[in-house]
Amino acid sequence: MQFCRLLFFALFLKVANSDVTSKTNDIISRLTYEINNWVTIDEKSEEFQQLIHNLSLPTNLLRKDWRSFDGENSENICIICKSVLNTFIEYRRQGMSEEDIKNKMIKICTLLKLQSPQVCDGVITINLPIILYIIDSKPNLTADTICGVLLESPFCPLDNNEFNWIVNIDDGPSKWIKPEESNETINILQITDIHYDPKYEPYGNAYCNEPTCCRKGQNDTNTSDKVAGYWGDYHYCDSPWHAIIDVLDHVIAEHQNISYVYFTGDIIDHGIWETSIKGNIESLNKSYLQIYETFKNIPIYPILGNHESHPVNQFAPRTITNDEISTQWLYKLMADLWIDFGWLPESTRSTILQGGFYTVSLKKGFRIIALNNNVCYSYNWWLLYQPQDPDGQLQWLADTLLQAEVDEEYVHILAHLPPGNTDCQTTWKSEYIKIVNRFAHIIRAQFNGHTHKDELQLIYGSDDNSKISNVAWNGGSITTYQNVNPNYKLYTIDSKNYEVKDFENWIYNLTLANINLDQRPLWYKSYSFKEEYGLSDLTYDSLQTWLFKLMNDEKLLNRYHGNYFKQAEPSLTEECDAKCMRAFICHVIVNLGDHEIKCE
Ligand SMILES: *[C@@H]1O[C@H](CO)[C@@H](O)[C@H](O)[C@H]1NC(C)=O
Ligand SMILES: *[C@@H]1O[C@H](CO)[C@@H](O)[C@H](O)[C@H]1NC(C)=O
Ligand SMILES: *[C@@H]1O[C@H](CO)[C@@H](O)[C@H](O)[C@H]1NC(C)=O
Ligand SMILES: *[C@@H]1O[C@H](CO)[C@@H](O)[C@H](O)[C@H]1NC(C)=O
Ligand SMILES: *[C@@H]1O[C@H](CO)[C@@H](O)[C@H](O)[C@H]1NC(C)=O
Ligand SMILES: *[C@@H]1O[C@H](CO)[C@@H](O)[C@H](O)[C@H]1NC(C)=O
Ligand SMILES: *[C@@H]1O[C@H](CO)[C@@H](O)[C@H](O)[C@H]1NC(C)=O
Ligand SMILES: *[C@@H]1O[C@H](CO)[C@@H](O)[C@H](O)[C@H]1NC(C)=O
Ligand SMILES: [Zn+2]
Ligand SMILES: [Zn+2]
């Protein structure tokens, strides 16, 4: 008891010093005290129960990203984060064992209803070794910093100098390449976000209370409209293997004229509480082999998704070599597969092993830079261990682009997270956008995945924020997770200057596919961009005009909205008022924080 009281007092002083409001502070102190009481003497006081009742999140937010919360929910998750971490960091610093911490954390996760008991258990069991390693090696790391990185909200601001860093970017002037245009084009296919679920069970349970449903062992339903479809399911479900075979077979049969394939990541399923290195290796090996056998001698340029690692989102720096927590197995597997299939030259191996990124010149004057920007994901614990430009990737990007400028090369950048992604740590994101703006004249396009939506982002300049400086195209997803149809994109690219001239989007209607079980899904071209939006070309001026049109033309915005969800029935029938529709436009705009153009 003495220990508890001392602990409480120390924690109280600590939180009292932080800069959140005093009301929030007060709740954090009380909750910290109560959690401590509960885990040490197993006593659930009246006060504790009331606090839990007041703070617990609405169940409809269980699957939502904490960073997207606002108002009271945002405050509550911050309070929970700080109180729980205060307690457990202190326990660890006092020498509590991993096993004890694990059991107590699972208990508190379940009690606070952060996830189901099984998911709490799985997620904590596989993440804790990394978290404890970081807490042990950073004696100054506080709950405020951790919650600041995780949430970056007004209640949980990130205030730590280790996160103020910059990349050394050549300050120009930009060296322009003599613009050349040809009447010839090449076709580039983009496929992304397969999310193959080896446990997918057709006719299984589509409405479970775990992050992913439709899986073997979850068959506790007997209501026919809650049964998983054969080809996939709009609910929180990933792809069965036969659906992946189907899309690959369809693409190669339908399009004989593909020069390159961009694959922008996420092969592993959303079963984030029960991944394993062995399971991930099996899925990655199997999927890449299938892709290779489908496209044979068409070169593929692949990158890593945040789901490829184990646990999800965890990308350790190269200095971490302990097998249980390092990422080296993944980088080694990818280097071996990508190079052995003949897609990448041997010269890419060293940076793939360093951090999962590489560059390659496809032809004279044309280069691909493939990033592993999953390192910037706010839920990558390793950001707390080494916040400054993980693996030196951004410095490498700036240097590689400078060399490309000298060599008069045009560049396509492949990266899993879109540049404006709100889950990418702020410093990393703004340094990335600075680099893009410096070299915007040679970066012809960026290709991303991760959101599973058919969308694009327009990046605005650092100096002149009224002008588009670059465009990032999102490939959508093969998975139907969640409430979207499967899709892929076929881009027409100028064969001299590598500009995107247009693209086609291909989809099928999952509802229909699951009804007509005796036939393969009916893939069709849902639209081509220029025609769909009445554009004569895709120059930045035209895209700027298009954006203003979206703001003022309700019909056009509706069309964008329908395409965004790839015409999936459940998304289109969800209510979306004017304010909700506006958010889709705002999402298109990306710029540096201090030059924010407002989405008005
Ligand atoms: C819970 O919320 C109610 C209503 O806002 C408030 O009266 C009560 O004091 C809160 N309980 C605790 C323990 O904070
Ligand atoms: C921790 O903080 C103390 C005092 O501010 C400082 O002297 C020390 O260098 C810090 N240690 C690390 C590992 O950052
Ligand atoms: C492209 O085609 C247009 C009209 O067909 C022609 O005027 C122009 O010279 C061609 N440009 C090149 C680079 O071939
Ligand atoms: C292949 O694509 C090129 C460039 O788009 C085009 O010129 C050619 O006619 C196409 N060939 C076939 C068989 O579609
Ligand atoms: C789920 O289904 C399998 C096979 O159909 C059966 O063996 C198992 O008992 C079921 N589990 C539950 C929890 O209903
Ligand atoms: C099956 O559904 C019926 C009616 O909806 C319900 O009464 C019954 O409890 C359900 N059984 C199981 C095992 O879920
Ligand atoms: C990948 O799969 C192939 C074919 O099944 C197998 O021969 C190979 O050993 C596997 N590689 C790994 C790393 O599992
Ligand atoms: C998809 O198919 C279902 C079932 O036939 C139909 O009701 C729905 O309108 C279709 N959706 C689209 C966008 O065509
Ligand atoms: Zn994904
Ligand atoms: Zn992803």
Side-chain angles (χ1 to χ4, degrees):
M1 273 315 284
Q2 194 62 25
F3 170 76
C4 303
R5 252 187 237 116
L6 269 178
L7 174 61
F8 167 60
F9 188 64
L11 292 174
F12 180 78
L13 284 180
K14 198 176 281 172
V15 291
N17 277 331
S18 67
D19 59 352
V20 278
T21 66
S22 63
K23 178 182 147 260
T24 314
N25 261 337
D26 172 57
I27 304 177
I28 293 173
S29 308
R30 277 156 49 208
L31 183 58
T32 304
Y33 176 76
E34 293 295 339
I35 291 175
N36 181 49
N37 243 357
W38 180 60
V39 291
T40 47
I41 58 172
D42 212 12
E43 186 182 280
K44 229 189 277 173
S45 71
E46 189 64 27
E47 160 104 349
F48 189 35
Q49 294 182 40
Q50 247 198 57
L51 277 169
I52 290 172
H53 176 80
N54 285 10
L55 292 171
S56 36
L57 301 168
T59 47
N60 63 344
L61 291 183
L62 263 189
R63 288 193 178 89
K64 291 274 183 298
D65 182 353
W66 292 340
R67 289 166 73 90
S68 69
F69 291 1
D70 50 18
E72 201 179 31
N73 292 321
S74 167
E75 182 173 8
N76 289 353
I77 192 70
C78 175
I79 290 172
I80 292 173
C81 181
K82 286 191 181 180
S83 309
V84 170
L85 287 176
N86 270 331
T87 314
F88 286 99
I89 289 175
E90 209 53 41
Y91 284 154
R92 183 62 174 179
R93 304 252 188 261
Q94 306 275 348
M96 191 182 275
S97 74
E98 176 169 343
E99 189 63 21
D100 280 354
I101 291 189
K102 187 182 91 181
N103 294 333
K104 291 180 194 325
M105 275 186 114
I106 292 168
K107 231 170 111 181
I108 195 88
C109 170
T110 309
L111 183 73
L112 290 170
K113 297 205 176 73
L114 294 179
Q115 287 293 336
S116 74
Q118 202 191 343
V119 174
C120 280
D121 187 321
V123 167
I124 289 170
T125 302
I126 61 183
N127 281 277
L128 196 62
I130 296 177
I131 295 171
L132 291 183
Y133 179 89
I134 295 171
I135 289 176
D136 293 350
S137 35
K138 304 270 288 188
N140 290 352
L141 188 61
T142 61
D144 282 6
T145 296
I146 301 178
C147 300
V149 173
L150 285 184
L151 304 171
E152 285 193 272
S153 69
F155 301 103
C156 265
L158 176 57
D159 179 19
N160 180 322
N161 274 332
E162 277 194 275
F163 287 82
N164 297 330
W165 50 271
I166 55 166
V167 170
N168 179 11
I169 308 170
D170 173 83
D171 54 7
S174 301
K175 190 178 140 218
W176 289 77
I177 306 174
K178 195 160 63 70
E180 239 184 304
E181 219 179 311
S182 70
N183 288 344
E184 279 170 29
T185 57
I186 54 170
N187 297 315
I188 295 182
L189 170 76
Q190 184 183 11
I191 47 178
T192 193
D193 292 78
I194 288 175
H195 291 287
Y196 157 48
D197 191 349
K199 288 187 156 185
Y200 190 94
E201 183 170 52
Y203 319 118
N205 181 6
Y207 285 74
C208 66
N209 59 358
E210 286 167 342
T212 310
C213 305
C214 305
R215 312 185 94 200
K216 291 193 181 76
Q218 292 177 324
N219 48 349
D220 54 355
T221 182
N222 62 5
T223 319
S224 60
D225 64 345
K226 295 190 171 179
V227 157
Y230 177 75
W231 290 104
D233 202 281
Y234 285 127
H235 206 243
Y236 291 89
C237 300
D238 280 325
S239 311
W241 183 248
H242 54 261
I244 295 165
I245 302 273
D246 172 74
V247 56
L248 294 174
D249 284 357
H250 157 77
V251 165
I252 201 67
E254 181 78 36
H255 311 285
Q256 276 88 47
N257 215 353
I258 298 167
S259 296
Y260 309 112
V261 178
Y262 294 164
F263 174 68
T264 39
D266 271 359
I267 282 177
I268 305 300
D269 58 70
H270 287 81
I272 57 165
W273 70 101
E274 53 185 5
T275 57
S276 66
I277 294 178
K278 185 166 164 286
N280 285 18
I281 289 178
E282 271 169 28
S283 289
L284 289 164
N285 189 29
K286 183 173 171 183
S287 303
Y288 273 120
L289 197 61
Q290 194 65 36
I291 291 173
Y292 171 72
E293 282 173 354
T294 302
F295 294 106
K296 303 219 163 63
N297 45 17
I298 302 172
I300 320 282
Y301 297 95
I303 55 173
L304 290 166
N306 58 309
H307 281 267
E308 263 68 296
S309 64
H310 165 78
V312 67
N313 303 329
Q314 304 312 310
F315 293 85
R318 201 186 185 180
T319 49
I320 304 295
T321 52
N322 168 347
D323 279 349
E324 193 190 4
I325 56 176
S326 93
T327 312
Q328 294 189 351
W329 65 271
L330 178 61
Y331 296 151
K332 178 157 188 321
L333 178 70
M334 292 300 99
D336 288 348
L337 288 180
W338 297 346
I339 294 170
D340 286 355
F341 285 142
W343 300 337
L344 302 182
E346 188 56 42
S347 59
T348 57
R349 190 182 299 272
S350 65
T351 53
I352 296 174
L353 292 178
Q354 182 181 332
F357 51 93
Y358 65 85
T359 181
V360 57
S361 165
L362 273 55
K363 278 187 191 170
K364 188 172 180 307
F366 181 38
R367 171 172 300 279
I368 282 178
I369 299 181
L371 299 178
N372 173 17
N373 68 350
N374 306 300
V375 295
C376 81
Y377 211 47
S378 304
Y379 302 113
N380 175 19
W381 313 120
W382 293 105
L383 277 178
L384 300 162
Y385 178 80
Q386 208 299 86
Q388 299 211 1
D389 190 14
D391 305 312
Q393 184 174 197
L394 283 181
Q395 190 59 58
W396 171 86
L397 172 65
D399 297 345
T400 306
L401 282 165
L402 185 61
Q403 189 58 46
E405 185 183 55
V406 170
D407 297 342
E408 304 200 336
E409 291 172 330
Y410 288 116
V411 170
H412 283 175
I413 292 182
L414 315 187
H416 184 63
L417 306 177
N421 195 277
T422 51
D423 287 336
C424 179
Q425 200 278 317
T426 310
T427 317
W428 203 98
K429 183 161 67 181
S430 67
E431 289 306 293
Y432 175 77
I433 293 172
K434 277 193 219 161
I435 296 170
V436 166
N437 277 326
R438 162 64 182 83
F439 295 101
H441 60 296
I442 60 168
I443 303 169
R444 282 312 198 178
Q446 303 176 50
F447 298 89
N448 312 116
H450 185 67
T451 67
H452 303 182
K453 306 302 191 305
D454 172 9
E455 59 182 329
L456 76 163
Q457 290 191 328
L458 302 172
I459 293 117
Y460 283 81
S462 334
D463 305 326
D464 183 353
N465 67 17
S466 64
K467 271 213 155 76
I468 295 172
S469 73
N470 219 258
V471 181
W473 305 96
N474 201 302
S477 65
I478 299 298
T479 185
T480 58
Y481 190 108
Q482 167 255 348
N483 285 347
V484 291
N485 280 320
N487 83 302
Y488 64 87
K489 287 185 177 178
L490 197 64
Y491 299 85
T492 321
I493 308 280
D494 186 293
S495 64
K496 280 259 165 40
N497 68 24
Y498 302 96
E499 252 167 23
V500 174
K501 296 291 217 188
D502 200 2
F503 73 81
E504 291 177 357
N505 189 56
W506 286 69
I507 64 176
Y508 65 78
N509 179 342
L510 182 67
T511 312
L512 198 58
N514 281 334
I515 294 171
N516 297 335
L517 275 179
D518 50 344
Q519 50 178 294
R520 294 270 297 271
L522 297 170
W523 283 96
Y524 65 99
K525 184 177 107 178
S526 62
Y527 70 91
S528 72
F529 193 81
K530 265 165 59 174
E531 187 183 52
E532 178 80 348
Y533 297 109
L535 299 173
S536 55
D537 55 47
L538 301 193
T539 58
Y540 295 162
D541 283 345
S542 298
L543 289 171
Q544 177 76 323
T545 310
W546 170 79
L547 182 67
F548 282 130
K549 242 168 95 185
L550 269 196
M551 295 181 189
N552 298 307
D553 182 339
E554 201 179 319
K555 258 173 75 186
L556 202 70
L557 183 54
N558 273 326
R559 195 173 290 179
Y560 183 74
H561 177 256
N563 289 330
Y564 182 89
F565 293 107
K566 299 175 275 185
Q567 311 299 338
E569 222 59 22
S571 290
L572 299 195
T573 50
E574 231 168 70
E575 209 181 315
C576 185
D577 60 13
K579 183 165 165 260
C580 153
M581 287 301 266
R582 228 168 165 79
F584 289 93
I585 307 175
C586 300
H587 218 69
V588 173
I589 301 167
V590 179
N591 49 21
L592 285 169
D594 45 347
H595 292 271
E596 205 98 4
I597 61 162
K598 292 282 177 278
C599 177
E600 291 300 323

